[in-house]
Amino acid sequence: MALFKYNGEWLQERRGGLIGSILNLVVARSEQGSRVGRRGRRFPRNFLKPRFFNWLLLLLALVFLFVFATFVLKLLSNGNEEEKHLPLSKEVHEQISTSDGNNPTPPKSKRRKQHFPCEVGLAAAVDKILEPKNYMNFTQFSLEYVEREVNPLHANLHQSRFGGHQTLEEREKSFFARNQTIHCGFVKGMSGLSSPGFELSEDDKAYMNTCRVAVSSCIFGSSDFLRRPTSRMISDFSKKSVCFVMFVDEQTLSKLSSEGHTPDEKGYVGLWKIVVVKNLPYLDMRKTGKVPKFLAHRLFPSSWYSIWLDSKMRLNTDPMLIIEFFLWRMRAEFAISNHYDRHCVWEEVLQNKRLNKYNHTAIDEQFMFYQSDGLRKFDPSDPNTPLPSYVPEGSFIIRAHTPMSNLFSCLWFNEVDRFTSRDQLSFAYTYLKLRRMNPDRPFHLNMFKDCQRRALAKLFRHRLLSSPPPP
């Protein structure tokens, strides 16, 4: 047993003595908290070992990596879905310019552009404008409209069509600006007993026959909210002299009434005169909406001017100021804005198919027919291009009811009636063919900037699709 010196004295060293003393001290102190000490011993022995912590950290790291990978994949997936709804870009235009046009696959486009209104040099007030002398001195001829089927080839057809059964020969002749009788909707069957559709009450017809200037829109199939023109922006003269007519079906009237837009005893909701349409001529609500959009000269037979705006827009500008700027000042008889993003029909075809706006086969048939009849791609570098764009933004149209303007409206409607309801596909073809077949009879069309359109009315989103795309 070893000795060690402590305070000048040699003492025996007992192994474990110091440790034993410490353990005795700990045991002595823990007697008072023996219950707590026993609780502590219930934990498993592996809990305090470093090896356990290593496994725990590894498990947490694996869980974190799994969650992070899932988040990244979901984020990338959402990005790809969003890109499907973005408009076509310049790269697509370059692709279709070099392709043969046989169903090319559109590449992914960039992010959606933002579009803003721009300044329009409107007159300061309605009392400061005056219709130019000899303004209506445009191409003159007489137009009559087919009211009843007279072609014996259609005698056995039991069901009448609102647009009639126009043959290709009749269609071709209708493009000549001359005295003639053409198809332009509202065609009854040969018996004359069946209604073509788009029925209005006699009181509404009488009211519309008094209109000299008309602003019209429509809601069919409860597809939109009722958006009243901004009253403070409309002059007292226009409130008294301009007809503001909103065409609706019975379903829409019921929906609007449930939302607090019940017509008063004279049929008005704000400035809108509510005109109820019965016996809609088409199952496709979009195609039914083309009747008031294109055939204002037939619905308002005594009117000199009309303005069409889509139901997704709220008019913020006096209609007489609009007519003065876009028609009188520009010496035009028809005014419509260019599309905000696309200018070539080839690109419009791709976009319609990409977003499934209509049956792809029907779009292809219409497009191939137009190409075979001379439709060419829009070339912005060509100084002889008759229009700044071949694709319009058709939600806002201003027109004088001149013979050429009325003829163009009928021809455009007939294309929508014969083919698809996507009127942006048929606009350029109709205009260019009318111009080509009447070189000595000009049609004065003013295609203005889309940013100007945005300055005239506030744009909203549709409530919902009025009907699914036709099969």
Side-chain angles (χ1 to χ4, degrees), residues 356-376:
N356 289 320
K357 292 290 187 179
Y358 210 89
N359 178 276
H360 291 198
T361 301
I363 292 177
D364 289 338
E365 291 175 352
Q366 180 179 7
F367 190 41
M368 292 174 63
F369 186 95
Y370 288 170
Q371 291 183 77
S372 67
D373 198 24
L375 180 64
R376 298 293 179 263

Side-chain angles (χ1 to χ4, degrees), residues 10-54:
W10 290 96
L11 300 177
Q12 292 182 347
E13 177 188 14
R14 291 184 298 180
R15 296 185 180 274
L18 180 60
I19 297 176
S21 299
I22 295 175
L23 289 176
N24 291 334
L25 181 61
V26 170
V27 171
R29 291 182 177 179
S30 63
E31 288 179 353
Q32 298 178 354
S34 59
R35 186 175 302 172
V36 177
R38 284 192 296 270
R39 287 179 183 174
R41 291 191 205 63
R42 293 178 184 175
F43 287 101
R45 295 179 180 180
N46 293 337
F47 180 80
L48 297 178
K49 291 185 177 181
R51 188 176 181 183
F52 174 83
F53 285 103
N54 292 339

Side-chain angles (χ1 to χ4, degrees), residues 176-222:
F176 288 105
R178 63 188 180 187
N179 298 341
Q180 62 173 327
T181 300
I182 63 173
H183 286 78
C184 194
F186 301 96
V187 180
K188 298 179 181 178
M190 292 193 67
S191 64
L193 299 178
S194 59
S195 169
F198 212 87
E199 299 174 2
L200 308 176
S201 70
E202 293 301 321
D203 289 341
D204 287 334
K205 288 182 181 179
Y207 166 76
M208 292 161 61
N209 197 40
T210 66
C211 301
R212 297 295 180 266
V213 179
V215 175
S216 63
S217 186
C218 72
I219 306 174
F220 296 126
S222 301

Side-chain angles (χ1 to χ4, degrees), residues 137-150:
N137 191 21
F138 295 107
T139 303
Q140 297 297 316
F141 54 92
S142 176
L143 275 182
E144 300 292 337
Y145 307 109
V146 175
E147 296 183 1
R148 182 176 289 106
E149 292 286 6
V150 295

